[in-house]
Amino acid sequence: MLDIEWMTKFPIMSSFMVRGIIYSFIGLIGMEQSIAMRVDMLHLDHVASTKLQIASIFLHVTAYAMTCLGGFYFLLGVSCMKEFRDRMRRLEKEEKDERVSLAQKNAEKEVLRRQILEEEGLA
């Protein structure tokens, strides 16, 4: 799952449930704005421009997606998936550190091997 880095710096946004509630709230605001745009188009007594209709539809679709994403985050929080994600990230970091240290050791061995070969005149 992709996290926005600046959002994780705020302590309140570290909880998946809180993040889900906030995302859903933002999505509901977007849906309400989309509906308000459509009502305004009806009260203007003229055919709304195509651009305004497209903007309203785009806003409604993205707001719906944001609300669904908020619900998904809330369910992740309820099922304690943050701890699972943190554990998987920690394991991945440990494996990466292990690979890096192994690569460094192999590089050091190669340097020593070349030095020995140069000293013996075999290189």
Side-chain angles (χ1 to χ4, degrees):
M1 196 170 350
L2 181 65
D3 280 336
I4 301 172
E5 290 299 320
W6 63 268
M7 286 187 110
T8 58
K9 292 180 182 176
F10 297 108
I12 194 160
M13 292 300 284
S14 65
S15 169
F16 278 0
M17 283 191 289
V18 173
R19 190 180 300 184
I21 290 169
I22 291 172
Y23 285 172
S24 294
F25 180 70
I26 291 171
L28 289 174
I29 290 172
M31 283 186 190
E32 184 63 33
Q33 183 61 35
S34 171
I35 293 169
M37 286 174 65
R38 289 182 191 163
V39 169
D40 286 344
M41 286 188 287
L42 291 175
H43 289 298
L44 293 176
D45 291 332
H46 74 287
V47 176
S49 70
T50 306
K51 291 180 183 179
L52 193 57
Q53 290 174 350
I54 291 172
S56 174
I57 291 169
F58 178 75
L59 182 60
H60 189 76
V61 169
T62 55
Y64 182 76
M66 193 71 170
T67 304
C68 290
L69 180 67
F72 179 67
Y73 263 105
F74 187 80
L75 291 175
L76 287 176
V78 168
S79 60
C80 300
M81 285 300 193
K82 183 180 181 303
E83 288 79 15
F84 178 74
R85 181 205 62 184
D86 292 343
R87 186 178 66 216
M88 295 305 291
R89 283 186 176 175
R90 188 182 71 249
L91 290 174
E92 182 180 328
K93 185 179 183 313
E94 290 171 0
E95 289 174 1
K96 181 182 175 187
D97 292 343
E98 197 174 298
R99 286 191 307 265
V100 167
S101 68
L102 183 62
Q104 287 174 343
K105 287 178 184 177
N106 287 339
E108 291 171 2
K109 286 180 184 178
E110 182 63 26
V111 168
L112 287 174
R113 187 185 70 79
R114 287 185 183 176
Q115 286 176 350
I116 292 171
L117 288 174
E118 286 178 3
E119 289 174 2
E120 293 179 0
L122 298 174

